[in-house]
Amino acid sequence: MWEVIKSVLAAFFGVQKERQRQHDFQHGKPGAFIAVGIVMAAVLVMLVAAVAIMAAR
Amino acid sequence: MRKTLAWIMGAGSFLGLASSTLANGWNMPAGVTDVSREIYSLHMTIFWICVVIGIVVFGVMFYSLFRYRRSRGAKSANFHENTSVEVVWTAVPLLILVGMALPATATLKRMYDASEADLDVMVTGQQWRWHYEYLGENVSFTSSLSTPRSQINGEEEKGENYLLDVDQPLVLPVGRKVRFLMTSDDVIHSWWVPDLAVKQDSIPGFVNENWVRIEEPGIYRGQCAELCGKDHAFMPVVVRALEGDEFDSWLAERRKEAEAEASGVDREWSMDELMERGEQVYGAICATCHQPDGSGAEPTFPALAGNEALLNDRDRHIDVVLNGVSGTPMAAFRSNLNPVELAAVITYERNAWGNESGDVVQPSEIQALLEQ
């Protein structure tokens, strides 16, 4: 699970180690990456919204 | 040693060129408000950040091209990826962007805070002039281009403020927060005065807000910044900023004039009075399309001089001026001009340039029509 989160974070940032990429493509399940990706995207949106609301005070 | 010297000279001449360009008036003005100076300093900060990035990036690129050229036996490296370099070139721009966004957002927040204004001015864009209304003060007027036609047509040398002069500037107080409520009667215009750092669209059916607190008395000029038709270039903005007490007496004077004008509706006007007033109104409002001599510009703008239809039908003439003609550029002037101005301009059109109807249209008659 932690591996999947780390890979999704790397994808958000846009840089990934080649070794990790190989590993993900051989052992990971696509569904896990998609699910974690959706959840983390929602978290990112809420984070940005929270910052915006704080800044607008 | 020589190489370093060449580098320093190259960078130096670039910076010199950049600064001289800025000093020569090519740059945006720092303006006369707190917000405008903030925007200016943001603009300069971001400009110099871009200059430094440009020098570093292109410097590395040109140096590498030159130093590692093939004729000197350079061999290209053959590796696929380097995670740490990629992390660095992603994180550094991210930090630069966030660093620029923080102060920019703080300024934007201040720009949008139009609350607690001392004075409200309604700004209405019209093809092709600006209408200003001091809300709650019973003072409103239309501000039209006053650059002479002869300069526009090239028959006379162009003046210093060519196309940047109006008959009645917007007068504002120094040191008070003035809120603008911007809207439009016809198409999208944009009220722009660089020294005040205000550029706000005026959109039919919407009211946009903006505000300004001018710090120095003076004349500030601007233009319509949204292409709005034939005379888009001929609807400048002129703001005259006065000290608070001077402004107060100006406003009181205008209020008195407005009251006098309102009482003028009831009395009987003579032909000469109406003709004199009508000529002013015609020159400021009608002449841009129908031409100063009433000759028009067929087929879009009909001639008024010698116009049989106009001369034979007085009621229709009044109706056209009050309510416009839908499907044509002829606008309705019932809410832009007061009854005296309307009566005067109609009388003028019926009796100027060889139009000899002899008709007099009284302000009271127009007033009655407006109240229907």
Side-chain angles (χ1 to χ4, degrees):
Chain A
M1 188 62 185
W2 177 237
E3 290 289 297
V4 177
I5 291 174
K6 252 167 53 184
S7 288
V8 169
L9 276 176
F12 274 20
F13 190 73
V15 178
Q16 175 66 296
K17 283 200 204 80
E18 177 63 15
R19 198 152 20 90
Q20 186 64 36
R21 190 182 72 84
Q22 301 275 11
H23 179 266
D24 286 345
F25 272 75
Q26 274 154 18
H27 303 285
K29 289 198 200 77
F33 288 100
I34 293 169
V36 172
I38 289 172
V39 170
M40 303 251 300
V43 169
L44 179 71
V45 168
M46 283 190 279
L47 217 75
V48 172
V51 169
I53 288 166
M54 254 162 49
R57 274 224 185 120
Chain B
M1 183 59 203
R2 267 178 53 200
K3 234 183 267 173
T4 323
L5 204 67
W7 271 107
I8 291 170
M9 279 172 66
S13 59
F14 182 83
L15 292 182
L17 186 73
S19 339
S20 77
T21 309
L22 299 180
N24 284 338
W26 290 66
N27 198 10
M28 68 183 284
V32 292
T33 74
D34 234 21
V35 168
S36 77
R37 276 191 285 269
E38 237 174 77
I39 293 174
Y40 177 79
S41 84
L42 270 174
H43 164 73
M44 292 315 294
T45 310
I46 291 170
F47 171 76
W48 287 117
I49 291 173
C50 293
V51 168
V52 170
I53 293 173
I55 290 174
V56 170
V57 170
F58 284 99
V60 169
M61 194 180 97
F62 286 124
Y63 176 77
S64 311
L65 284 172
F66 180 75
R67 177 74 178 75
Y68 301 101
R69 58 191 189 273
R70 197 160 71 164
S71 61
R72 284 183 63 176
K75 287 227 163 52
S76 53
N78 191 15
F79 63 91
H80 181 257
E81 35 121 6
N82 183 328
T83 311
S84 20
V85 171
E86 285 171 35
V87 167
V88 168
W89 81 41
T90 308
V92 169
L94 180 79
L95 292 177
I96 295 174
L97 285 175
V98 170
M100 295 194 298
L102 286 176
T105 310
T107 303
L108 267 182
K109 257 187 77 182
R110 285 195 56 196
M111 289 170 66
Y112 279 109
D113 180 17
S115 63
E116 289 169 31
D118 302 314
L119 175 72
D120 284 339
V121 179
M122 184 99 190
V123 178
T124 309
Q126 294 163 358
Q127 284 173 321
W128 292 275
R129 56 190 68 88
W130 295 98
H131 186 81
Y132 301 115
E133 183 180 354
Y134 294 74
L135 295 179
E137 304 286 349
N138 191 26
V139 172
S140 68
F141 56 86
T142 299
S143 177
S144 310
L145 179 76
S146 65
T147 299
R149 279 275 134 191
S150 50
Q151 288 187 13
I152 295 168
N153 296 339
E155 296 151 2
E156 199 184 300
E157 203 157 319
K158 299 190 188 335
E160 189 196 347
N161 294 313
Y162 178 67
L163 296 187
L164 289 174
D165 249 338
V166 297
D167 52 355
Q168 301 190 84
L170 173 66
V171 179
L172 294 178
V174 163
R176 293 185 205 162
K177 186 164 180 177
V178 179
R179 179 168 63 153
F180 298 118
L181 299 158
M182 313 253 188
T183 189
S184 167
D185 277 347
D186 33 51
V187 300
I188 302 178
H189 302 274
S190 184
W191 197 87
W192 178 37
V193 181
D195 277 321
L196 307 185
V198 175
K199 185 194 248 176
Q200 182 76 59
D201 275 3
S202 85
I203 306 173
F206 286 79
V207 177
N208 284 333
E209 277 188 345
N210 213 310
W211 65 275
V212 75
R213 193 196 299 273
I214 305 173
E215 285 170 4
E216 291 164 39
I219 306 263
Y220 307 108
R221 295 171 198 277
Q223 282 167 299
C224 178
E226 187 68 60
L227 185 58
C228 60
K230 169 182 162 285
D231 278 2
H232 164 61
F234 297 168
M235 53 181 293
V237 176
V238 181
V239 173
R240 203 169 135 226
L242 298 178
E243 295 288 357
D245 47 348
E246 279 179 73
F247 172 80
D248 289 334
S249 54
W250 173 87
L251 193 65
E253 187 69 26
R254 291 303 302 239
R255 211 183 291 128
K256 237 187 283 168
E257 279 172 32
E259 280 156 15
E261 187 95 341
S263 65
V265 171
D266 299 327
R267 73 178 172 88
E268 193 85 353
W269 285 59
S270 76
M271 179 71 143
D272 288 343
E273 282 179 313
L274 288 170
M275 286 297 281
E276 193 190 328
R277 191 67 206 273
E279 189 173 2
Q280 291 168 4
V281 178
Y282 185 86
I285 307 287
C286 316
T288 45
C289 296
H290 292 290
Q291 303 306 311
D293 60 357
S295 62
E298 301 281 359
T300 315
F301 307 118
L304 303 180
N307 183 326
E308 289 295 319
L310 173 138
L311 286 170
N312 292 336
D313 196 342
R314 185 173 178 275
D315 289 347
R316 163 106 179 114
H317 184 187
I318 295 173
D319 178 58
V320 165
V321 174
L322 260 55
N323 302 316
V325 182
S326 70
T328 77
M330 181 63 195
F333 287 97
R334 57 186 305 145
S335 51
N336 297 340
L337 298 175
N338 64 41
V340 173
E341 290 169 327
L342 288 163
V345 80
I346 295 168
T347 305
Y348 177 74
E349 286 169 358
R350 299 189 70 73
N351 295 285
W353 333 289
N355 283 2
E356 284 174 359
S357 67
D359 289 340
V360 173
V361 179
Q362 287 296 338
S364 51
E365 185 183 347
I366 301 294
Q367 177 74 19
L369 284 171
L370 290 177
E371 280 167 4
Q372 271 175 16

